[in-house]
Amino acid sequence: MRSQSATHSFNFALDYASTTIGKSVVIHADCLEWLGRLPENSLHAIVTDPPYGVKEYAFDQIEKRANGNGGVWRIPPAFDGSQRAPLPRFTALTHKEREALSRFFLEWSKLAVHALRPGGHVFIASNAFLSQPVFSALVAGGLEFRGELIRLVRTFRGGDRPKNAEDEFPGVCSLPRGCYEPWGIFRKPLPPGMKVSDCLREYQTGGLRRVNDDQPFNDVIPSERTPQRERDIADHPSLKPQSFLRQIVRAALPLREGVIADTFMGAGSTIAAAEASGLLSIGVERFADYYELSKTAIPKLARVPVTLSFDLD
Ligand SMILES: C[S@@+](CC[C@H](N)C(=O)[O-])C[C@H]1O[C@@H](n2cnc3c(N)ncnc32)[C@H](O)[C@@H]1O
């Protein structure tokens, strides 16, 4: 086995504010700037949950959400008698905002290609409504599309009857009720002439870790909404569940060697999943409050027990 400390001897924090938590480092920075400053070929994988529509995590929109002032964050209609938390309204993005979204992910993709090792995988969360322009931009930036991972989860999106005409068209819904979350699977192209086996030997990348000897990694994962116990630890509007993320971070490092980055860390659920799995990871977050939150949330989330219906090897 190649040395783990050798892969982590580089100072990924550069000159940004940072904290070490177990095997992980969390960094307060803008990830576009951070990725651009990394040496070429320094990351083995990226597992991340970006701002799907870009706009919803602009500083002014985060503030509007906190003050209950609307913006792109709207309270959806109550469901089963319970009040729902604000959700960003992606259907309301204008043509200009969709163009800005494509430019953002094009730039991010180019920087990810620069920072990843050849064969390094990217798992990136999206939304059924926006995955098409986002994935196209990632390909235009140089990442190779390797398929989609379906996280089976009831999202509460869509399924509503036409607005203000519910009684007139009771048998119609304007969008399907969301029952899955699409995650793009991408890879930095292998160098010409290299096979996956060569890439594994040279860069410890190129493939995905199997679930166990009997099962490969599958691209449909039954999941759950983030449990309240985890939400109580980390009050972030987009917190992902440990039961899901621990399967993803594990798959992203085929030999369990190297460094995973989450460039849109939020409260640090990906980093916690890596910690729980004994893997090295780096989280980058631009918003100071979420960066601070991650420092206390990661060790607690990493200790949350999860039950899977199969054994990971
Ligand atoms: C969808 S949330 C991720 C939440 C995360 N999955 C969790 O469980 O906490 C996206 C995060 O990216 C952050 N962000 C947005 N733009 C960024 C940028 N350019 N650099 C770093 N972080 C950014 C936002 O502040 C937000 O916390």
Side-chain angles (χ1 to χ4, degrees):
M1 175 132 163
R2 282 155 283 263
S3 149
Q4 288 284 294
S5 55
T7 59
H8 222 23
S9 55
F10 175 72
N11 172 26
F12 282 97
L14 305 172
D15 49 8
Y16 298 104
S18 68
T19 303
T20 300
I21 303 169
K23 289 183 164 187
S24 316
V25 180
V26 294
I27 302 171
H28 181 210
D30 183 303
C31 71
L32 298 177
E33 187 183 295
W34 178 76
L35 283 168
R37 291 182 64 193
L38 292 185
E40 222 186 335
N41 301 348
S42 38
L43 301 173
H44 295 70
I46 297 178
V47 175
T48 200
D49 169 26
Y52 297 168
V54 179
K55 176 180 172 177
E56 73 275 22
Y57 281 101
F59 292 131
D60 65 319
Q61 296 290 330
I62 300 182
E63 227 166 79
K64 281 185 178 168
R65 181 185 182 277
N67 300 333
N69 269 352
V72 75
W73 293 88
R74 305 282 165 81
I75 309 261
F79 181 74
D80 283 350
S82 53
Q83 195 60 41
R84 289 152 65 183
L87 285 177
R89 262 189 62 216
F90 296 123
T91 43
L93 291 184
T94 63
H95 180 67
K96 270 204 159 142
E97 286 166 346
R98 288 174 75 90
E99 280 181 353
L101 174 141
S102 292
R103 277 198 305 276
F104 178 85
F105 284 105
L106 175 69
E107 190 186 350
W108 183 88
S109 173
K110 288 179 181 168
L111 292 164
V113 168
H114 156 81
L116 277 168
R117 291 183 167 210
H121 272 86
V122 175
F123 283 86
I124 184 163
S126 191
N127 140 302
F129 198 68
L130 292 175
S131 58
Q132 181 269 325
V134 171
F135 293 178
S136 299
L138 296 182
V139 169
L143 286 169
E144 178 193 3
F145 183 59
R146 299 286 292 168
E148 227 172 292
L149 168 73
I150 301 301
R151 173 183 165 219
L152 287 178
V153 61
R154 296 273 286 178
T155 67
F156 274 150
R157 282 183 197 285
D160 300 321
R161 297 189 170 83
K163 212 170 168 194
N164 301 328
E166 292 84 352
D167 295 338
E168 195 180 349
F169 301 107
V172 178
C173 54
S174 345
L175 270 180
R177 160 62 54 81
C179 296
Y180 74 97
E181 180 178 76
W183 282 63
I185 307 178
F186 294 85
R187 191 171 72 173
K188 174 165 169 173
L190 310 189
M194 255 202 185
K195 300 188 292 289
V196 169
S197 52
D198 302 322
C199 210
L200 285 164
R201 280 182 212 111
E202 176 88 20
Y203 299 109
Q204 303 86 54
T205 58
L208 298 169
R209 188 152 194 91
R210 299 176 66 93
V211 169
N212 55 39
D213 218 21
D214 298 328
Q215 272 197 69
F217 177 71
N218 295 323
D219 61 10
V220 176
I221 300 192
S223 187
E224 57 180 345
R225 284 205 286 276
T226 306
Q228 191 58 46
R229 173 169 52 171
E230 292 170 39
R231 292 189 178 284
D232 289 343
I233 293 172
D235 181 17
H236 188 290
S238 307
L239 195 73
K240 299 284 179 201
Q242 288 297 299
S243 56
F244 174 75
L245 283 177
R246 290 186 195 171
Q247 298 178 61
I248 307 306
V249 291
R250 191 180 167 286
L253 292 183
L255 303 181
R256 295 183 61 81
E257 296 175 31
V259 180
I260 301 174
D262 181 352
T263 58
F264 301 100
M265 171 182 69
S269 55
T270 308
I271 307 305
E275 271 296 300
S277 313
L279 304 172
L280 305 183
S281 67
I282 318 276
V284 181
E285 170 60 44
R286 182 177 70 152
F287 190 57
D289 289 2
Y290 294 152
Y291 165 69
E292 290 301 326
L293 172 62
S294 73
K295 296 186 199 171
T296 51
I298 290 169
K300 293 182 190 159
L301 288 171
R303 285 197 296 272
V304 167
V306 302
T307 315
L308 303 176
S309 57
F310 47 81
D311 292 329
L312 297 169
D313 70 3

